[in-house]
């Protein structure tokens, strides 16, 4: 833990304590949360000497973006606290196994553990979590709700493990990890510290839940550089097994970007990879916990590759795509359609964006990277109308004539009866079908797009119709 900290950033934080306390009060947040943002942005200036005279100047350089981020988070947290009934925890308390919180005055508050709806999960990741970066590949979101609340007081998000190096590190430690039995805890957020063991209690319930989805191991990471101690993880019996590099990337305004955000054109400043996270693992049953307890050394992982080639990927099963289309049809509604089609009879029209996002997420789980495209679908046959505003996905390089076009709603074109297209771009051009993208978005960019709120409604509808997906189904 101590070796993963940075003395220069610790010193900068310590010297800024009074300034942090003053600005935290100004923003309506805690000094600890403000200090996390300070540490998150400190690598952008840590290469400079932190002498006594420069201390205030360096803090003033960071101050505008820290105040902007903390004020933004604090405003959303205030609203979330109201929806989560956080006032029920005034005075503190402790969570009991009976799903109650025993308060200091002897009274009790009921607690419910449940799946968090995608739209609520997006709010927590995009507006409340200190990274301000929603994960497009979130697999399942879980939380604990106080009695009568519509929003959780403790929130957890899990994704499938897309880092082969993490799987190998577990295997090297003698752990029987595979892509189809590992989930990564990517986001954790508690709205209130009043119930001191609420997060560890939520983690315990979540582990039982994901075990039923086929998960045998849960992996997560925490960053000592930011002052995190991992106390809730320690209380939940996670075991350290590796360290991994952390990317500190910043946009043109100096705001922090996650590694996934940095793959877009937003990133203008990427710091050297000299900082590391601590990776920890927990078995979800007694057998796998025995495996994880045998770990006695730390693997040191290298930077994950950013290159994902689609050239060697197997051809997608068209029959399976047609089944997806049937499932999507059952989940479409006026709420998932583009507003332009709100007054028209329910059909595939206006459902192209949400359906493409859903499929791109599914393909990511199968290690296939797809690009979300928005543009025009044009036909050489004048008997088929063009679709001037259309969405689909592509697999492969954007200039590769052999890239695959996958369209689950191509029957939006009047006069074209085929529902699903999965074919090479050049072959489609050869038969007079032209996909002309205006915008291309990687999957990790989609949570910032206007399609995402409608997609969360589709995802919720899919779960209601077809149930929660398991890890075995995903791969």
């Amino acid at each position: 833990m101590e070796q993963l900290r940075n003395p220069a950033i610790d010193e900068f934080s310590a010297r800024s304590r009074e300034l942090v306390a003053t600005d935290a009060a100004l923003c309506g947040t805690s000094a600890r949360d403000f200090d996390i943002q300070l540490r998150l942005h400190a690598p952008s200036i840590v290469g400079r000497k932190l002498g006594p005279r420069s201390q205030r100047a360096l803090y003033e350089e960071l101050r505008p973006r820290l105040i902007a981020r903390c004020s933004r988070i604090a405003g959303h947290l205030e609203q979330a606290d109201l929806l989560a009934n956080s006032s029920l925890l005034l005075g503190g308390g402790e969570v009991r196994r009976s799903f109650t919180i025993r308060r200091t005055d002897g009274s009790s508050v009921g607690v419910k553990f449940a799946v968090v709806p995608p739209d609520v999960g997006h709010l927590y990741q995009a507006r409340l979590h200190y990274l301000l970066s929603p994960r497009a590949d979130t697999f399942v979101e879980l939380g604990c709700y106080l009695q009568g609340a519509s929003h959780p007081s403790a929130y957890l998000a899990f994704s499938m493990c897309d880092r082969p190096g993490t799987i190998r590190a577990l295997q090297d430690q003698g752990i029987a990890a595979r892509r189809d039995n590992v989930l990564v805890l990517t986001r954790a957020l508690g709205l209130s510290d009043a119930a001191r063991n609420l997060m560890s209690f939520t983690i315990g319930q979540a582990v039982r839940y994901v075990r039923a989805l086929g998960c045998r191991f849960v992996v997560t990471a925490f960053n000592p550089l930011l002052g995190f101690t991992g106390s809730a993880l320690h209380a939940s019996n996670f075991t350290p097994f590796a360290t991994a590099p952390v990317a500190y990337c910043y946009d043109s305004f100096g705001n922090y970007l996650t590694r996934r955000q940095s793959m877009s054109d937003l990133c203008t400043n990427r710091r050297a990879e000299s900082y590391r996270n601590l990776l920890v693992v927990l078995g979800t049953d007694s057998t796998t916990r025995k495996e994880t307890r045998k770990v006695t050394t730390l693997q040191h992982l290298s930077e994950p590759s950013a290159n994902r080639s689609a050239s060697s990927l197997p051809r997608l099963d068209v029959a399976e795509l047609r089944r997806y289309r049937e499932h999507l049809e059952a989940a479409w509604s006026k709420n998932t359609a583009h507003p332009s089609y709100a007054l028209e009879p329910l059909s595939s029209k206006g459902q192209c964006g949400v359906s493409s996002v859903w499929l791109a997420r599914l393909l990511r789980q199968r290690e296939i990277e797809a690009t979300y495209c928005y543009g025009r679908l044009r036909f050489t046959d004048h008997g088929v109308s063009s679709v001037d505003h259309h969405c689909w996905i592509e697999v492969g390089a954007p200039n590769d004539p052999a890239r695959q076009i996958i369209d689950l709603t191509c029957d939006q074109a009047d006069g074209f009866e085929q529902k699903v297209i999965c074919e090479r771009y050049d072959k489609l051009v050869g038969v007079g079908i032209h996909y002309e993208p205006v915008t291309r978005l990687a999957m990790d960019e989609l949570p910032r797009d206007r399609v995402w709120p409608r997609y969360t409604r589709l995802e919720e509808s899919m779960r209601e119709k077809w149930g929660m997906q398991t890890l075995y189904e995903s791969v």
Side-chain angles (χ1 to χ4, degrees), residues 12 45 48 52-62:
F12 183 41
I45 60 170
R48 309 175 199 175
R53 295 182 179 179
S54 63
Q55 168 71 27
R56 182 62 182 256
L58 291 174
Y59 182 85
E60 290 297 330
E61 182 178 334
L62 293 180

Side-chain angles (χ1 to χ4, degrees), residues 211-224:
R211 181 171 63 210
L213 298 181
C215 175
R216 299 189 69 210
F217 302 96
V218 174
V219 169
T220 192
F222 69 95
N223 191 345

Side-chain angles (χ1 to χ4, degrees), residues 402-422:
R403 67 185 184 275
Q404 280 189 312
I405 305 292
I406 309 171
D407 186 353
L408 296 181
T409 59
C410 50
D411 55 331
Q412 288 185 85
D414 292 333
F416 192 73
E417 301 299 327
Q418 187 174 335
K419 288 186 175 183
V420 173
I421 281 178
C422 178

Side-chain angles (χ1 to χ4, degrees), residues 52-255:
R53 295 182 179 179
S54 63
Q55 168 71 27
R56 182 62 182 256
L58 291 174
Y59 182 85
E60 290 297 330
E61 182 178 334
L62 293 180
R63 186 171 183 258
R65 71 200 71 155
L66 302 184
I67 288 179
R69 284 175 72 97
C70 288
S71 297
R72 177 182 170 189
I73 293 172
H76 291 293
L77 276 172
E78 183 177 3
Q79 180 65 22
D81 274 328
L82 291 173
L83 297 170
N85 289 348
S86 294
S87 61
L88 291 173
L89 296 182
L90 292 177
E94 183 177 5
V95 185
R96 302 293 182 89
R97 291 182 180 179
S98 58
F99 286 85
T100 58
I101 295 178
R102 186 72 170 174
R103 296 192 292 196
T104 53
D105 63 2
S107 62
S108 296
V109 176
V111 176
K112 179 183 73 172
F113 175 80
V115 175
V116 177
D119 59 335
V120 175
H122 178 73
L123 168 68
Y124 277 51
Q125 293 195 34
R127 301 286 183 262
L128 308 182
H129 192 269
Y130 74 92
L131 290 176
L132 296 176
S133 174
R135 286 282 296 253
D137 60 350
T138 299
F139 185 76
V140 63
E141 298 162 281
L142 304 165
C144 275
Y145 295 72
L146 300 182
Q147 59 188 39
S150 62
H151 287 52
S153 290
Y155 165 82
L156 304 173
F158 296 84
S159 296
M160 291 186 66
C161 185
D162 63 351
R163 305 293 194 210
T166 301
I167 300 293
R168 286 196 297 270
L170 290 168
Q171 293 172 344
D172 290 344
Q173 300 277 18
I175 295 173
R178 305 186 306 270
R179 280 194 71 254
D180 64 353
N181 67 13
V182 174
L183 281 176
V184 181
L185 173 57
T186 57
R187 298 288 185 269
L189 175 67
L191 295 187
S192 174
D193 293 329
R196 58 184 180 84
N197 62 332
L198 181 57
M199 183 55 72
S200 58
F201 177 83
T202 306
I203 290 173
Q205 298 302 316
V207 167
R208 293 183 181 90
Y209 186 92
V210 299
R211 181 171 63 210
L213 298 181
C215 175
R216 299 189 69 210
F217 302 96
V218 174
V219 169
T220 192
F222 69 95
N223 191 345
L225 186 80
L226 302 184
F228 296 143
T229 62
S231 56
L233 301 176
H234 179 73
S236 302
N237 297 313
F238 277 84
T239 301
F241 72 94
T243 68
V246 184
Y248 286 89
C249 313
Y250 304 92
D251 65 17
S252 58
F253 299 102
N255 292 307

Side-chain angles (χ1 to χ4, degrees), residues 334-350:
K334 295 291 186 181
N335 290 328
T336 63
H338 189 277
S340 300
Y341 298 92
L343 300 179
E344 295 193 16
L346 187 62
S347 70
S348 64
K349 292 184 177 180

Side-chain angles (χ1 to χ4, degrees), residues 352-404:
C352 54
V354 295
S355 301
S356 296
V357 173
W358 183 88
L359 183 59
R361 279 172 38 91
L362 182 81
L363 294 182
R364 162 73 68 84
Q365 294 168 8
R366 299 185 179 183
E367 298 185 282
I368 301 174
E369 286 299 305
T371 301
Y372 176 90
C373 298
Y374 164 76
R376 188 180 188 217
L377 171 57
R378 181 172 59 85
F379 295 85
T380 303
D381 182 355
H382 296 296
V384 180
S385 64
S386 297
V387 184
D388 292 330
H389 304 283
H390 189 50
C391 301
W392 65 93
I393 64 173
E394 297 183 2
V395 177
N399 297 319
D400 184 358
R403 67 185 184 275
Q404 280 189 312

Side-chain angles (χ1 to χ4, degrees), residues 418-450:
Q418 187 174 335
K419 288 186 175 183
V420 173
I421 281 178
C422 178
E423 190 53 86
R424 287 172 46 143
Y425 171 83
D426 51 2
K427 290 188 176 181
L428 290 173
V429 171
V431 295
I433 302 175
H434 305 270
Y435 282 86
E436 301 168 347
V438 174
T439 301
R440 295 176 182 271
L441 294 174
M443 202 187 84
D444 293 315
E445 298 176 281
L446 289 174
R448 298 192 299 270
D449 191 78
R450 286 176 292 181

